């Protein structure tokens, strides 16, 4: 018996970051949009105990030990239900690693849903979301998908209504960026300044609800963009290339270094993608639309 779950990547259309909290995390107003780039996580019983394999884009950079969020998800579910976590987790990877698109979080949510189905634990959605929040700030959103406002450290979700489909071009950079390093750089750049409480933008929520790409383009923002650019200055050139090629908006995705370009239609997407490829500044360019659903069981094989 094996179970396969498909989980999407995300882009943050708004990422407002507050001051560092005593626990080191930052309060956020984080508007997530799930987009159609996917990892697939397959779990199969494994008599020799928990093990992970990974294939696909960036597979060589994925940790195959118990630090992998997919392994931690299986261990957390097994512990709650008093089971042995004897499972082989295979990740077919298409979401960039260390890219600011929640690829690791997607694998955590995917493994959790897959093990729940494989083991027949039938955990409630709230229980699954609790485990996701323990695993990481972005993991609950990977489970839920669609569009949502994340508050707290990003794990408290309020699902959002979206009135249309938004098209994006994503440029994957030649190297990764570490999320904690980008938050530390945010703290360093903000030293001695008054950092406001993060709040969701009404204009942005309205643009999502109406499915209005121009209004969304005018409202997108990412407080992690200045620290990401400070650590990875070449990204400014990539953003400029996409803008010059006709993107409605260009921003760093989450903590980066993937850059995200909102475009009006398929034709505009092709133009922006061609310009980014020709620039040589990125390792890969992908076109994807959102919102799309969160973790979905694709199939069970007996
Ligand atoms: O929650 P997660 O493990 O994904 O967070 C990774 C790192 O990003 C944290 O260790 C922390 O340094 C930073 N972070 C933060 N504030 C948040 C979310 C993440 O400072 N709200």
């Amino acid at each position: 018996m094996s179970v396969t779950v498909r989980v999407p990547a995300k882009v943050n259309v708004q990422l407002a970051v507050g001051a560092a909290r005593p626990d080191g995390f930052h309060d956020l107003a984080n508007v997530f949009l799930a987009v159609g780039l996917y990892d697939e996580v397959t779990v199969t019983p494994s008599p020799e105990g928990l093990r992970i394999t990974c294939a696909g884009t960036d597979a060589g950079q994925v940790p195959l030990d118990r630090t992998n969020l997919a392994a931690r998800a299986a261990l957390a579910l097994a512990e709650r239900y008093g089971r042995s976590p004897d499972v082989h987790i295979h990740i077919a990877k298409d979401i960039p690693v260390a890219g600011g698109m929640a690829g690791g979080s997607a694998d955590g949510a995917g493994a959790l849903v897959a093990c729940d189905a494989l083991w027949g634990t039938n955990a409630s959605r709230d229980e699954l979301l609790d485990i996701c929040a323990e695993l990481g700030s972005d993991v609950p959103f990977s489970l839920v998908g669609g569009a949502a406002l994340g508050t707290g450290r990003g794990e408290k979700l309020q699902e959002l209504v979206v009135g249309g489909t938004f098209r994006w071009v994503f440029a994957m950079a030649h190297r990764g960026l570490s999320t904690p390093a980008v938050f530390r750089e945010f703290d360093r750049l903000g030293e001695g300044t008054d950092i406001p409480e993060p709040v969701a933008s009404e204009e942005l929520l309205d643009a999502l609800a109406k499915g209005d790409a121009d209004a969304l383009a005018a409202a997108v923002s990412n407080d992690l963009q200045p620290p990401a650019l400070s650590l990875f200055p070449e990204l400014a050139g990539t953003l400029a290339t996409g803008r010059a090629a006709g993107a409605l908006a260009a921003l760093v995705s989450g903590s980066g270094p993937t850059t995200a370009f909102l475009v009006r239609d398929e034709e505009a997407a092709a133009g922006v993608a061609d310009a980014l490829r020709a620039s040589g500044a990125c390792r890969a360019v992908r076109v994807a639309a959102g919102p799309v659903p969160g973790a979905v069981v694709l199939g069970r094989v007996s």
Side-chain angles (χ1 to χ4, degrees):
M1 163 89 171
S2 70
V3 178
T4 298
V5 173
R6 187 182 75 171
V7 200
K10 59 85 182 164
V11 60
N12 306 85
V13 287
Q14 184 188 3
L15 185 43
V17 182
R21 313 190 309 203
D23 66 1
F25 282 90
H26 298 70
D27 278 326
L28 305 177
N30 191 353
V31 182
F32 296 99
L33 183 71
V35 294
L37 275 182
Y38 301 96
D39 281 359
E40 285 182 15
V41 181
T42 300
V43 296
T44 316
S46 161
E48 64 270 39
L50 178 64
R51 66 188 189 99
I52 303 189
T53 53
C54 182
T57 321
D58 295 348
Q61 296 171 51
V62 175
L64 300 178
D65 59 16
R66 292 184 175 209
T67 61
N68 188 303
L69 281 175
R72 290 179 44 208
L75 289 164
L77 187 71
E79 196 184 346
R80 273 202 192 205
Y81 285 88
R83 296 190 59 105
S84 318
D86 296 340
V87 69
H88 170 205
I89 303 172
H90 179 72
I91 301 167
K93 197 136 205 50
D94 199 30
I95 305 175
V97 174
M101 297 192 76
S105 301
D107 301 342
L112 188 63
V113 171
C115 287
D116 182 54
L118 181 72
W119 296 337
T121 35
N122 288 321
S124 68
R125 194 168 173 82
D126 282 351
E127 231 170 330
L128 293 176
L129 284 171
D130 265 3
I131 298 175
C132 287
E134 281 167 23
L135 296 173
S137 308
D138 288 349
V139 185
F141 179 72
S142 296
L143 184 86
V144 169
L149 168 62
T151 53
R153 62 184 168 84
E155 87 288 13
K156 292 182 196 141
L157 294 180
Q158 181 190 324
E159 289 183 49
L160 297 173
V161 175
V162 180
T165 296
F166 297 98
R167 286 180 180 74
W168 298 85
V169 179
F170 295 98
M172 284 62 170
H174 287 295
R175 63 178 169 93
L177 265 180
S178 132
T179 302
V182 175
F183 274 104
R184 276 198 301 276
E185 184 68 358
F186 172 88
D187 294 339
R188 193 185 70 80
L189 294 175
E191 251 167 47
T193 65
D194 211 11
I195 297 172
E197 289 291 312
V199 279
S201 150
E202 287 302 324
E203 290 78 15
L204 183 118
L205 298 182
D206 197 46
L208 284 177
K210 290 189 171 130
D212 182 337
D214 289 295
L216 183 64
V220 292
S221 68
N222 180 1
D223 287 351
L224 292 183
Q225 183 159 313
L229 291 181
S230 166
L231 296 176
F232 201 149
E234 305 91 307
L235 295 180
T238 311
L239 292 172
T241 300
R243 273 193 210 102
L248 301 174
L251 77 165
V252 168
S253 177
S255 59
T258 301
T259 40
F261 302 88
L262 179 61
V263 290
R264 191 177 306 285
D265 52 29
E266 293 302 326
E267 198 183 332
V272 170
D274 284 347
L276 289 165
R277 279 191 199 102
S279 75
C282 27
R283 170 168 63 83
V285 177
R286 301 291 301 273
V287 175
V292 296
V296 173
V297 176
L298 286 187
R300 296 156 208 256
V301 178
S302 310

